[in-house]
Amino acid sequence: MTEQVPARPCLVVVGSGIAGLIVAIAASSTHDVTLITKAELGESNTRYAQGGIAAAMFDDDSVASHIADTLVAGAGLNRLSAVEALCAEGPERIRDLIRLGVEFDRVPGGELARGLEAAHASARILHAGGDATGSAIERALVRAVRTTAARVLENTFVNDLVVDESGRVVGVEVVSAAACGVAGTITVLADAVVLASGGAGQLYAHTTNPAVTTGDGVAAAYRAGAELADVEFYQFHPTSLAVPGNFLVSEAVRGEGAVLRGADGARFMVGVHPDAELAPRDVVARAIAEQMAKQGGAPVLLDATELGAEFLERRFPSISQACRANGLDWGREPIAVTPAAHYWMGGVLTDDWGRSTVPGLFAVGEVACTGVHGANRLASNSLLESVVFAWRAVAVLQGHAGAGAARFVTEGWPDVAADAEGDSAWHVRALGDAPDSGLPTDRSDDASGDASDDAKFSRAALQQLMWNAVGVYRDAATLSAAQAQFARWQTACDATPAETITALEDRNLLLLARLIAAAARQREESRGAHYRSDFPETSTLFHHHQISARKAALPT
């Protein structure tokens, strides 16, 4: 009699950045893994990450110091248990990356090289290839995943999640780029789905994110009933090249000594914050925006000339190449820079093990909101978050950790008690589908009609409106006007079937724009990356997280 080998559980991983690749690699020993990416394998935000990855790897640093820096940047909304997991497990996860083939930069003698970035008390930022850290990590992990038995579906768009009658996610609906139309949708079933699909930088007219970042995973999770958190918190990187494409100029450049100057050549950050150019990102981004307003919208100047052309070429080869491509010589003259949308702290609400509020659905990386970043991400914590919580999600899938139900699943509205660990920061207020909440509903009767010219939707118009009304500066009047426009666009889009992948992406972007604008309007304070010019101070009344949920059981 032949003994039958039990079938291995099936796992679908959506996204091929650092988080998705780590999940696919680590889970392949116990699961039949299908890795789905809507572009080529490796095309993600990870690939473009310059600043590096932070971890307390050195004798003059400590996990406690890394935790403290992360909490300060998060402006009171970090989940302490998530931050502790991030910082404590970070060093071992770095060693995992090295074992997987990532070649971090080293100093003569073989020690890991390290740099300093804004809001870090210690030089703890590791780089690879100078300013090509993300690309180096991506290449190594792509090589590693190809050695596994994981099935890889490239150029495949995840249209929606498949949810069974019990409310459990049991697979995904996908569309091949070759098929283009929704008619080409097929279903891939799974025992669990891990979203690692990244953020939504394409919401904004100016963004450092690649074209694939259209928020598809967050939107699909919302439609499947998953709760989202902190969607109003979008981080704007202070310095991108003021040229088409907004090539990111790493914060590490300022960490090495570059300074910001106005059009008159004078430094302006010295009078804004004690740390000047090394102030938290939100502070620097707003200061640049204010300076640009003072000089008629002209970009500010990043002056790295004191560092010398030879050093800049060696330390920042990718930025140097981008400057040359745009006719700039940043070793000899300052370069024009502007803020740009960079990283989304909000996303699919998860516990400390990557589990969402919907059974069978996990989320890791920028698509997720673990609470680790709070209201503002500390520089170079994003790659670390991806790898730490990817490993944690796999540990749960393999039955090694995370016993018990997902924590802080909302149990009542509008206020929910602290989670099981007593983390007082994780109080939440719900934003539901009530008609007066400003959130998308299943109906479109909140719109004023689609007869006017401004009802004609385009992605470019959405991106410009998000930049103008839901960008670095926000206020009630512009947010309200933006919500009304989004509603008109929703009516127009609902009347037109989404027959291409681009149209499906647009549907997701419009949904997320409405969610972010509603949450930003609700938060009548300034905190972290969220700045309300009509409420410029931080308020204790808003020391809570906001939950966006499609079908909230609102009290009568």
Side-chain angles (χ1 to χ4, degrees), residues 159 180-183 493-505 507:
N159 182 38
C180 290
V182 179
C493 289
D494 288 346
T496 305
E499 296 181 343
T500 66
I501 289 176
T502 297
L504 293 171
E505 292 176 330
R507 174 190 66 167

Side-chain angles (χ1 to χ4, degrees), residues 260-267 301 303:
L260 291 164
R261 301 185 186 277
D264 59 359
R267 290 179 65 185
L301 301 173
D303 187 354

Side-chain angles (χ1 to χ4, degrees), residues 17-27 97 100 141 386-387 390-391 394:
I18 182 174
L21 292 171
I22 287 290
V23 171
I25 293 165
L97 290 176
L100 286 168
L141 296 185
S386 291
V387 67
W391 278 105
V394 173

Side-chain angles (χ1 to χ4, degrees), residues 75-95:
L77 288 189
N78 310 78
R79 286 192 67 251
L80 181 59
S81 59
V83 176
E84 289 174 338
L86 175 85
C87 300
E89 297 176 19
E92 185 58 29
R93 298 290 80 86
I94 295 294
R95 288 187 277 270

